[in-house]
Amino acid sequence: MKKFITGNDAAAIGAKLARVKVISAYPITPQTTIVEKLSEFVANGELDAEYMKVESEHSALSACIGAAATGVRTFTATSSQGLMLMSEIMFVASGLRLPIVMTNVNRSLSAPLNIWCDQQDSIAVRDSGWIQLYCENNQEIIDSTIQAFRIAEETLLPVMVCFDGYILSHTTEPVDIPEQDEVDKFLPPYKYPYSLDPEHPVTIGAVGVPDFYEEFRYMLQKAMLESRGKILEVGQAFNKQFGREHGLIECYRSDDAEVLLLTMGSLSGSVKEVVDEYRGHGERVGLVKVRTFRPFLAKELAEALSNAKAVAVLEKNFSPGSTGALFSDLSGAFANAKKSPLLLNFICGLGGRDVSVIQIREAAKAAMEAAKTGEVKEAVRWLGLRETMVGLRP
Amino acid sequence: MSVVPEEELLAPGHRACPGCGSVLAVRYALKALGKNTIVCASTGCMEVVTTPYPETAWRVPWIHVAFENVAAVASGVQAGLKKLGKHDIKAVAIGGDGGTVDIGLQALSGMVERNDNVVYICTDNEAYMNTGIQRSGATPFAAWTTTTPVGKVKRGEDRPKKNMLAIINAHGAPYVAAASIGYPIDFIKKVKKAASIEGSTYIHVHCPCGPGWRFDSSKTIEIAKLAVLTGMWNLYEIERGEFKLTFKPPKRRPVADYLKMQGRFRHLTDEEIAEIQRMVGEECKRLGIE
């Protein structure tokens, strides 16, 4: 059934269709309407779940861990500062291998305080051991949310579904909402193999002394690397049933491209327009969209990008003193490659600043120039920056 | 007298120090709770000494997540149990004083305010012992710790112990109790009562710590009893707002009998001891147990 819904509605409906049993969350802009919607579903009896009114995001995730360990499907949602408050417990959730699903509605981090979109929040927890999926549109949000539960439960890894605040969270788009009985066929009931049960007592969260700790961390790494196949497999199964596939990465008019733009999230939509524009002029420009940022798909990306002469990475985050996160990971992906395109990094759209088509063209032009001359003039650039305000120009 | 089960749900062989008071509290609590229990532990001595992988001392299901969130983890466990229809299994949270009165207070406040069906047990050894005797909000007035040293200007902890029972009671918890490992039958009864009540119940159990309080490991029980006999720690319960003293010492002994057995109070002058005596008198008066 097609309906006009917001990104936040898509996330809430996705969690409802997954028949989550415990929801534990705390309000934060721009995530709030997800948990409002879920609490309505519970209040109306449309969803048979415990809605836990916790006093912080830290407790929200802690309660999800407790509930998931008893053997029920759990869900939480947050943004920005809330995610930062959770971050300590995120590392524990993945270390304990609990298949919790979380929506993160991407929002900037303080200071200065700002409630609008960039991807700094989820990027900051990229090392937390959670699978990270980024969505381009509201259809991807509902589909990825449903898939996330199956991916999590089959890999015993927690999964974050990330999408851009306001740009998607509060924007209405037509979305094909899967039928409940179809989702039930796709997503089997929750089963956790080591649940807390007095009949079979287990100890979860023991002390890992130096003699064991490294092996536990390696097992997490192995699970993350292997989850790549599971994400693909679950996506294919979803496609078979619902007729939509989102893949690990998406390649858009990229086959013969000399210049490729690389993005994550809603920005991909605008970039596709710019790509079409260039293609109209006969320029060989394409897009590669990263849907799965963790695990990082070094091999797939290297393959998808290696025939281009230059790649422009556009991203809504940066590591102070370094580059954008996607750019640095991508540089690593080409570390031992026989053939590598020139790589350019464009930091853009921080704190809700609109990324215009003009700016995307600017990035594409710089990459085209690099492709032509074989030289990168400036590896990292901030798009749309008021240079006079920060003392770069008088 | 109530029958104390012989079955040990906390296995021997754990790594607690000789004469550890807290581990006795855990052992007694499990006897009271029985096997239909899921224990959530906060980071601290009791977590570390019982679960060095690949060993565990726990014969009941047990989960540890972090330091400050054991109440929230237990809330999640009880929510999961509710959805699974497992109404006969009790969620229990165990935290030390640091994990309860300081860093874990927010999560605990949330749990009690929601009245989640959890028994919370605070094993109070009056400082951060796991990290090496740093003061906590539960450290008593004038006590030496490594972060309240006795020097030329400062004379140990300068503030009295935080009153956790009053704090939890003010949330409207159906049951709160103060207990001591020196009085195990009283403690076990309180744990049993707490577990029988639907909702958030809280037991604060006083647990002497030899290495932290500076006394010989053979003196744990004697010191625990002396705390109660001097009025430094009182045994009572508040059930749905109703206060009841569960043990009244025949004649209150001077606080010096308790303080002088412990190296952490070695520096006290007669005047300082008199001040503590005055504070104890006031507290007993406040509780109406004069």
Side-chain angles (χ1 to χ4, degrees), chain B residues 96-119:
Chain B
D97 49 296
T100 303
V101 318
D102 291 344
I103 201 166
L105 186 57
Q106 175 181 318
L108 175 57
S109 174
M111 179 197 100
V112 181
E113 177 250 315
R114 293 187 300 271
N115 201 26
D116 288 337
N117 189 21
V118 175
V119 177

Side-chain angles (χ1 to χ4, degrees), chain A residues 117-129:
Chain A
C117 174
D118 65 36
Q119 294 170 348
Q120 193 71 60
D121 52 356
S122 50
I123 291 297
V125 291
R126 64 185 163 161
D127 298 335
S128 63

Side-chain angles (χ1 to χ4, degrees), chain A residues 132-146:
Chain A
Q132 288 194 352
L133 306 175
Y134 287 78
C135 305
E136 180 186 338
N137 53 48
N138 294 355
Q139 186 68 57
E140 270 193 44
I141 294 171
I142 195 165
D143 294 351
S144 297
T145 304
I146 294 164

Side-chain angles (χ1 to χ4, degrees), chain B residues 59-90:
Chain B
R59 289 169 174 158
V60 293
W62 179 94
I63 183 167
H64 159 250
V65 179
F67 193 10
E68 68 280 50
N69 64 347
V70 65
V73 174
S75 287
V77 167
Q78 65 89 41
L81 291 173
K82 210 190 246 181
K83 288 324 284 180
L84 292 166
K86 295 183 174 176
H87 302 292
D88 56 332
I89 301 170
K90 196 83 191 185

Side-chain angles (χ1 to χ4, degrees), chain A residues 48 62 88 202-204 207, chain B residues 51 53 56 62 64 68-69 83:
Chain A
D48 173 26
S62 301
E88 181 206 15
V202 288
T203 286
I204 301 178
V207 177
Chain B
T51 64
Y53 182 87
T56 179
W62 179 94
H64 159 250
E68 68 280 50
N69 64 347
K83 288 324 284 180

Side-chain angles (χ1 to χ4, degrees), chain A residues 21-22 48-50 52-56 58-60 62-72 85 88-89 92-93 96 98 195-209 212 216, chain B residues 35-39 47-48 51-69 72-84 86 89 106-107 110-111 113-114 116:
Chain A
K21 285 283 175 249
V22 171
D48 173 26
E50 277 291 302
M52 296 184 66
K53 305 162 287 175
V54 288
E55 84 302 326
S56 71
H58 196 280
S59 285
S62 301
C64 281
I65 288 181
T70 64
V72 298
L85 188 57
E88 181 206 15
I89 304 307
V92 185
L96 297 181
L98 288 165
S195 56
L196 295 165
D197 176 6
E199 292 304 316
H200 309 280
V202 288
T203 286
I204 301 178
V207 177
V209 294
F212 291 103
F216 276 107
Chain B
K35 68 184 270 292
N36 268 353
T37 301
I38 294 174
V39 173
E47 170 255 334
V48 170
T51 64
Y53 182 87
E55 294 166 23
T56 179
W58 297 88
R59 289 169 174 158
V60 293
W62 179 94
I63 183 167
H64 159 250
V65 179
F67 193 10
E68 68 280 50
N69 64 347
V73 174
S75 287
V77 167
Q78 65 89 41
L81 291 173
K82 210 190 246 181
K83 288 324 284 180
L84 292 166
K86 295 183 174 176
I89 301 170
Q106 175 181 318
M111 179 197 100
E113 177 250 315
R114 293 187 300 271
D116 288 337

